[in-house]
Amino acid sequence: MSKTGWLIYKKEDADRNRSFIDMFIEEARKQGLALHLKLRESFHIGVQEHQFVCFEEGQRIDLPDFAVVRTIDPLFTKQLELLGVPCFNSSHVAQICNDKAKTHQLLTQQGVPMVDTLFLKGEALPYIPFSFPLIAKDVHGRGGRNVYWVENKDDLLELPFEPKQDLVIQKPAPQLGKDLRVFVVGNKIVGAILRENANEFKANYTLGGSASLYELSQEERQLVHKVMAPFEFGMVGIDFLFDEKNQLLLNEIEDVVGSRTLYTKSSINILELYVSYICRKIKTV
Protein backbone atom coordinates (compact mmCIF):
# COMPACT_ATOMS: atom_id res chain seq x y z
CA MET A 1 0.00 0.00 0.00
CA SER A 2 1.40 3.38 -1.00
CA LYS A 3 2.26 6.01 1.57
CA THR A 4 -0.09 8.97 1.78
CA GLY A 5 1.06 12.56 2.24
CA TRP A 6 -0.36 16.05 2.58
CA LEU A 7 0.95 18.92 0.47
CA ILE A 8 0.00 21.95 2.54
CA TYR A 9 -0.44 25.46 1.13
CA LYS A 10 -2.35 28.56 2.03
CA LYS A 11 -5.22 29.05 -0.41
CA GLU A 12 -3.84 32.16 -2.12
CA ASP A 13 -0.43 30.49 -2.58
CA ALA A 14 -2.05 27.31 -3.90
CA ASP A 15 -3.95 29.33 -6.52
CA ARG A 16 -0.73 31.02 -7.63
CA ASN A 17 1.37 27.81 -7.69
CA ARG A 18 -1.06 25.39 -9.28
CA SER A 19 1.31 24.15 -11.99
CA PHE A 20 4.08 23.46 -9.44
CA ILE A 21 1.56 21.63 -7.21
CA ASP A 22 0.43 19.47 -10.12
CA MET A 23 4.08 18.66 -10.93
CA PHE A 24 4.71 17.76 -7.30
CA ILE A 25 1.69 15.45 -7.06
CA GLU A 26 2.58 13.76 -10.37
CA GLU A 27 6.21 13.24 -9.35
CA ALA A 28 5.03 11.71 -6.06
CA ARG A 29 2.71 9.37 -7.98
CA LYS A 30 5.61 8.24 -10.19
CA GLN A 31 7.55 7.30 -7.07
CA GLY A 32 4.66 5.46 -5.40
CA LEU A 33 3.36 8.18 -3.07
CA ALA A 34 -0.23 9.45 -2.88
CA LEU A 35 0.15 13.19 -2.29
CA HIS A 36 -2.96 15.31 -1.66
CA LEU A 37 -3.23 19.10 -1.63
CA LYS A 38 -4.53 20.46 1.68
CA LEU A 39 -5.26 24.09 2.53
CA ARG A 40 -3.89 25.43 5.81
CA GLU A 41 -7.05 27.48 6.38
CA SER A 42 -9.07 24.24 6.66
CA PHE A 43 -7.22 23.04 9.77
CA HIS A 44 -7.58 23.68 13.48
CA ILE A 45 -4.94 22.41 15.88
CA GLY A 46 -4.72 22.37 19.66
CA VAL A 47 -5.17 20.22 22.74
CA GLN A 48 -8.32 18.29 23.66
CA GLU A 49 -8.65 16.03 26.71
CA HIS A 50 -4.90 16.39 27.32
CA GLN A 51 -4.03 15.18 23.81
CA PHE A 52 -2.77 16.97 20.71
CA VAL A 53 -5.50 17.20 18.07
CA CYS A 54 -5.86 18.20 14.42
CA PHE A 55 -9.20 18.96 12.80
CA GLU A 56 -9.95 19.55 9.12
CA GLU A 57 -13.12 21.53 8.45
CA GLY A 58 -14.19 20.84 12.02
CA GLN A 59 -13.77 17.07 11.86
CA ARG A 60 -11.16 14.72 13.35
CA ILE A 61 -9.30 13.11 10.48
CA ASP A 62 -6.86 10.31 9.79
CA LEU A 63 -3.34 11.61 9.75
CA PRO A 64 -1.02 11.09 6.75
CA ASP A 65 2.25 9.17 6.64
CA PHE A 66 4.09 12.46 5.98
CA ALA A 67 3.46 16.12 5.18
CA VAL A 68 5.18 18.59 2.87
CA VAL A 69 4.51 22.00 4.42
CA ARG A 70 4.73 24.70 1.74
CA THR A 71 3.58 27.53 3.97
CA ILE A 72 5.35 29.34 6.77
CA ASP A 73 3.76 28.12 10.00
CA PRO A 74 6.24 26.54 12.44
CA LEU A 75 3.57 26.04 15.11
CA PHE A 76 1.40 24.03 12.73
CA THR A 77 4.38 21.98 11.54
CA LYS A 78 5.39 21.26 15.14
CA GLN A 79 1.84 20.11 15.94
CA LEU A 80 1.96 17.59 13.10
CA GLU A 81 5.34 16.35 14.32
CA LEU A 82 3.99 15.94 17.85
CA LEU A 83 1.18 13.86 16.35
CA GLY A 84 3.82 11.61 14.74
CA VAL A 85 3.78 13.01 11.20
CA PRO A 86 7.23 13.51 9.60
CA CYS A 87 7.30 16.98 8.03
CA PHE A 88 9.33 18.42 5.17
CA ASN A 89 10.73 20.91 6.02
CA SER A 90 10.80 20.32 9.77
CA SER A 91 9.50 22.75 12.37
CA HIS A 92 13.12 23.46 13.39
CA VAL A 93 13.99 24.54 9.85
CA ALA A 94 10.77 26.58 9.63
CA GLN A 95 11.35 28.32 12.94
CA ILE A 96 14.96 29.33 12.27
CA CYS A 97 15.04 29.91 8.54
CA ASN A 98 11.92 32.09 8.39
CA ASP A 99 13.49 34.51 10.86
CA LYS A 100 16.51 36.37 9.47
CA ALA A 101 17.78 37.30 12.94
CA LYS A 102 17.64 33.70 14.22
CA THR A 103 19.33 32.50 11.04
CA HIS A 104 22.23 34.96 11.42
CA GLN A 105 22.53 34.30 15.15
CA LEU A 106 22.74 30.52 14.70
CA LEU A 107 25.09 30.55 11.72
CA THR A 108 27.51 33.03 13.27
CA GLN A 109 28.20 30.21 15.72
CA GLN A 110 29.15 28.03 12.73
CA GLY A 111 31.71 30.58 11.54
CA VAL A 112 29.68 31.50 8.45
CA PRO A 113 30.66 34.94 7.03
CA MET A 114 27.93 37.57 6.67
CA VAL A 115 27.50 41.34 6.49
CA ASP A 116 27.32 43.31 9.75
CA THR A 117 23.78 42.85 11.06
CA LEU A 118 21.72 44.24 13.94
CA PHE A 119 18.66 42.51 15.45
CA LEU A 120 16.15 45.02 16.80
CA LYS A 121 12.55 46.17 17.22
CA GLY A 122 11.14 48.99 15.13
CA GLU A 123 11.11 51.27 18.16
CA ALA A 124 14.93 51.15 18.29
CA LEU A 125 15.43 52.50 14.74
CA PRO A 126 16.44 56.05 15.83
CA TYR A 127 19.46 54.67 17.72
CA ILE A 128 21.30 52.64 15.08
CA PRO A 129 25.07 52.45 15.83
CA PHE A 130 25.98 51.78 12.16
CA SER A 131 26.87 54.44 9.59
CA PHE A 132 24.77 54.94 6.45
CA PRO A 133 23.83 53.63 3.94
CA LEU A 134 21.97 50.66 5.44
CA ILE A 135 19.45 48.03 4.44
CA ALA A 136 16.40 47.45 6.64
CA LYS A 137 14.42 44.20 6.55
CA ASP A 138 11.45 42.63 8.27
CA VAL A 139 12.86 39.42 9.79
CA HIS A 140 10.00 37.44 8.20
CA GLY A 141 10.08 39.08 4.74
CA ARG A 142 10.37 36.92 1.62
CA GLY A 143 10.96 37.44 -2.09
CA GLY A 144 12.54 40.87 -1.65
CA ARG A 145 9.43 42.28 0.07
CA ASN A 146 9.73 44.58 3.10
CA VAL A 147 13.38 45.32 2.27
CA TYR A 148 14.40 48.99 2.14
CA TRP A 149 17.49 50.97 1.18
CA VAL A 150 18.25 53.56 3.87
CA GLU A 151 20.43 56.42 2.68
CA ASN A 152 20.27 58.65 5.77
CA LYS A 153 18.55 59.30 9.11
CA ASP A 154 15.46 60.78 7.44
CA ASP A 155 14.98 57.58 5.42
CA LEU A 156 15.44 55.57 8.59
CA LEU A 157 12.71 57.43 10.44
CA GLU A 158 10.30 57.07 7.51
CA LEU A 159 10.47 53.27 7.36
CA PRO A 160 6.95 51.72 7.49
CA PHE A 161 7.66 49.38 10.39
CA GLU A 162 5.68 49.04 13.63
CA PRO A 163 7.40 49.78 16.99
CA LYS A 164 7.26 46.13 18.12
CA GLN A 165 8.11 44.64 14.71
CA ASP A 166 11.23 42.45 14.60
CA LEU A 167 13.79 43.75 12.11
CA VAL A 168 17.33 43.32 10.91
CA ILE A 169 19.48 46.28 9.89
CA GLN A 170 22.49 45.45 7.71
CA LYS A 171 25.45 47.07 6.06
CA PRO A 172 25.11 46.68 2.28
CA ALA A 173 27.19 43.98 0.63
CA PRO A 174 30.10 45.34 -1.44
CA GLN A 175 28.48 44.06 -4.65
CA LEU A 176 24.90 45.30 -4.96
CA GLY A 177 22.23 43.70 -7.14
CA LYS A 178 24.00 40.33 -7.21
CA ASP A 179 23.36 37.17 -5.23
CA LEU A 180 23.62 33.41 -5.43
CA ARG A 181 20.90 30.91 -4.58
CA VAL A 182 22.14 27.41 -3.78
CA PHE A 183 19.46 24.71 -3.93
CA VAL A 184 19.80 21.92 -1.38
CA VAL A 185 17.87 18.65 -1.01
CA GLY A 186 18.66 16.70 2.15
CA ASN A 187 22.41 16.94 2.64
CA LYS A 188 23.21 17.41 -1.05
CA ILE A 189 23.81 20.52 -3.16
CA VAL A 190 21.77 20.08 -6.33
CA GLY A 191 22.43 23.35 -8.17
CA ALA A 192 23.13 27.06 -7.91
CA ILE A 193 21.70 30.08 -9.71
CA LEU A 194 23.44 33.45 -9.98
CA ARG A 195 20.96 36.34 -9.96
CA GLU A 196 21.91 39.86 -11.06
CA ASN A 197 20.02 43.14 -11.39
CA ALA A 198 21.83 46.22 -12.70
CA ASN A 199 18.94 48.52 -11.73
CA GLU A 200 18.17 47.36 -8.18
CA PHE A 201 20.12 46.60 -5.01
CA LYS A 202 17.92 43.48 -4.75
CA ALA A 203 18.78 40.73 -7.23
CA ASN A 204 15.52 38.75 -7.04
CA TYR A 205 14.55 37.20 -10.40
CA THR A 206 10.90 38.11 -9.76
CA LEU A 207 11.94 41.78 -9.48
CA GLY A 208 13.35 41.88 -13.00
CA GLY A 209 16.84 40.49 -12.52
CA SER A 210 18.64 38.00 -14.75
CA ALA A 211 19.54 34.44 -13.77
CA SER A 212 22.17 31.95 -14.90
CA LEU A 213 23.47 28.57 -13.81
CA TYR A 214 26.54 28.87 -11.55
CA GLU A 215 29.30 26.34 -10.90
CA LEU A 216 30.32 26.33 -7.24
CA SER A 217 34.01 26.12 -6.36
CA GLN A 218 35.23 23.59 -3.82
CA GLU A 219 35.65 26.39 -1.27
CA GLU A 220 32.10 27.59 -1.90
CA ARG A 221 30.77 24.06 -1.48
CA GLN A 222 32.52 23.78 1.86
CA LEU A 223 30.83 26.99 3.00
CA VAL A 224 27.41 25.70 1.92
CA HIS A 225 27.98 22.53 3.95
CA LYS A 226 28.91 24.70 6.93
CA VAL A 227 25.51 26.40 6.61
CA MET A 228 23.80 23.01 6.32
CA ALA A 229 25.48 21.54 9.41
CA PRO A 230 22.97 22.64 12.13
CA PHE A 231 19.95 21.53 10.09
CA GLU A 232 18.32 18.51 8.53
CA PHE A 233 16.93 20.10 5.39
CA GLY A 234 14.27 18.74 3.08
CA MET A 235 14.44 21.25 0.24
CA VAL A 236 15.69 24.82 0.75
CA GLY A 237 17.44 27.65 -1.04
CA ILE A 238 20.49 29.18 0.65
CA ASP A 239 21.08 32.74 -0.54
CA PHE A 240 24.50 34.39 -0.54
CA LEU A 241 25.79 37.86 -1.33
CA PHE A 242 29.29 38.69 -2.63
CA ASP A 243 32.07 40.70 -0.99
CA GLU A 244 34.64 42.83 -2.84
CA LYS A 245 36.81 39.73 -3.46
CA ASN A 246 33.88 37.71 -4.85
CA GLN A 247 33.73 35.63 -1.67
CA LEU A 248 30.31 34.49 -0.46
CA LEU A 249 28.46 36.11 2.45
CA LEU A 250 25.34 34.48 3.89
CA ASN A 251 22.14 36.41 3.20
CA GLU A 252 19.25 34.11 4.19
CA ILE A 253 17.74 30.64 3.88
CA GLU A 254 14.44 30.15 2.03
CA ASP A 255 12.40 27.41 3.70
CA VAL A 256 9.49 27.47 1.21
CA VAL A 257 11.80 27.92 -1.74
CA GLY A 258 10.65 28.42 -5.31
CA SER A 259 12.54 26.61 -8.07
CA ARG A 260 11.38 28.33 -11.26
CA THR A 261 14.86 29.66 -12.09
CA LEU A 262 16.42 26.22 -11.62
CA TYR A 263 13.94 24.63 -14.03
CA THR A 264 14.34 27.53 -16.50
CA LYS A 265 18.13 27.63 -16.49
CA SER A 266 19.06 23.94 -16.07
CA SER A 267 17.92 20.36 -16.72
CA ILE A 268 17.84 19.60 -12.99
CA ASN A 269 14.53 18.09 -11.83
CA ILE A 270 14.63 19.17 -8.20
CA LEU A 271 11.17 17.74 -7.46
CA GLU A 272 12.32 14.27 -8.55
CA LEU A 273 15.25 14.58 -6.15
CA TYR A 274 13.06 15.92 -3.34
CA VAL A 275 10.44 13.17 -3.65
CA SER A 276 13.22 10.55 -3.71
CA TYR A 277 14.61 12.07 -0.52
CA ILE A 278 11.16 11.98 1.13
CA CYS A 279 10.72 8.33 0.09
CA ARG A 280 14.01 7.40 1.73
CA LYS A 281 13.23 9.31 4.92
CA ILE A 282 9.73 7.93 5.49
CA LYS A 283 10.98 4.37 5.04
CA THR A 284 13.21 4.86 8.09
CA VAL A 285 10.54 6.25 10.50
Side-chain angles (χ1 to χ4, degrees):
M1 185 174 174
S2 66
K3 299 271 189 178
T4 298
W6 290 349
L7 179 60
I8 300 166
Y9 274 84
K10 285 187 177 177
K11 185 179 186 311
E12 65 173 315
D13 294 331
D15 293 341
R16 191 169 60 249
N17 292 281
R18 189 70 238 191
S19 60
F20 182 79
I21 291 167
D22 291 342
M23 287 170 58
F24 211 143
I25 292 171
E26 175 60 18
E27 185 58 52
R29 185 197 63 77
K30 288 179 182 176
Q31 298 194 40
L33 302 178
L35 190 60
H36 303 284
L37 176 64
K38 297 286 185 177
L39 300 181
R40 173 64 183 92
E41 292 89 342
S42 300
F43 290 99
H44 294 88
I45 58 172
V47 178
Q48 186 177 45
E49 296 178 355
H50 316 298
Q51 300 293 322
F52 295 113
V53 290
C54 179
F55 298 91
E56 185 182 20
E57 297 180 348
Q59 303 295 318
R60 291 286 289 269
I61 52 171
D62 292 332
L63 294 167
D65 296 303
F66 67 97
V68 180
V69 185
R70 294 284 295 174
T71 190
I72 299 169
D73 194 338
L75 182 71
F76 178 71
T77 303
K78 184 65 175 179
Q79 183 86 357
L80 291 180
E81 291 170 346
L82 290 167
L83 286 163
V85 179
C87 291
F88 307 92
N89 288 313
S90 69
S91 61
H92 174 67
V93 171
Q95 182 182 41
I96 300 296
C97 297
N98 291 301
D99 185 313
K100 300 179 198 302
K102 289 179 180 177
T103 300
H104 282 72
Q105 188 179 64
L106 176 63
L107 290 174
T108 294
Q109 299 173 66
Q110 297 294 120
V112 174
M114 59 192 70
V115 297
D116 293 346
T117 303
L118 294 174
F119 319 140
L120 70 158
K121 301 282 188 183
E123 61 195 4
L125 282 171
Y127 315 110
I128 300 297
F130 287 175
S131 59
F132 296 100
L134 298 167
I135 295 172
K137 303 177 181 180
D138 177 353
V139 297
H140 303 298
R142 298 183 67 239
R145 294 183 292 274
N146 295 319
V147 177
Y148 300 93
W149 181 268
V150 181
E151 189 67 37
N152 50 46
K153 185 107 178 195
D154 289 340
D155 287 352
L156 192 70
L157 298 177
E158 291 175 6
L159 291 170
F161 296 126
E162 298 297 325
K164 299 301 180 184
Q165 195 167 348
D166 290 316
L167 312 174
V168 293
I169 300 292
Q170 297 180 313
K171 297 293 291 182
Q175 297 192 51
L176 298 176
K178 177 181 178 181
D179 73 8
L180 182 72
R181 171 162 290 174
V182 180
F183 291 89
V184 169
V185 172
N187 62 354
K188 297 188 185 312
I189 299 167
V190 301
I193 294 289
L194 179 68
R195 305 182 299 185
E196 298 179 276
N197 191 334
N199 303 311
E200 255 277 8
F201 72 93
K202 295 177 280 189
N204 303 69
Y205 189 58
T206 54
L207 299 178
S210 64
S212 58
L213 198 62
Y214 182 93
E215 185 68 33
L216 293 166
S217 69
Q218 188 58 37
E219 183 181 1
E220 289 168 339
R221 286 180 167 272
Q222 289 172 354
L223 178 58
V224 175
H225 282 285
K226 192 178 284 192
V227 173
M228 293 161 59
F231 301 100
E232 186 173 350
F233 288 135
M235 181 175 79
V236 301
I238 305 173
D239 292 351
F240 294 93
L241 305 170
F242 290 86
D243 70 10
E244 63 279 354
K245 296 180 180 178
N246 245 25
Q247 301 295 302
L248 298 182
L249 301 167
L250 177 74
N251 187 26
E252 61 188 4
I253 303 173
E254 288 280 1
D255 164 25
V256 185
V257 66
S259 53
R260 181 160 62 103
T261 53
L262 193 64
Y263 277 105
T264 303
K265 302 298 179 179
S266 79
S267 60
I268 298 166
N269 186 346
I270 194 169
L271 278 180
E272 181 181 17
L273 299 172
Y274 192 19
V275 172
S276 295
Y277 169 80
I278 291 170
C279 286
R280 292 194 300 272
K281 293 301 290 184
I282 61 179
K283 285 178 181 176
T284 64
V285 297

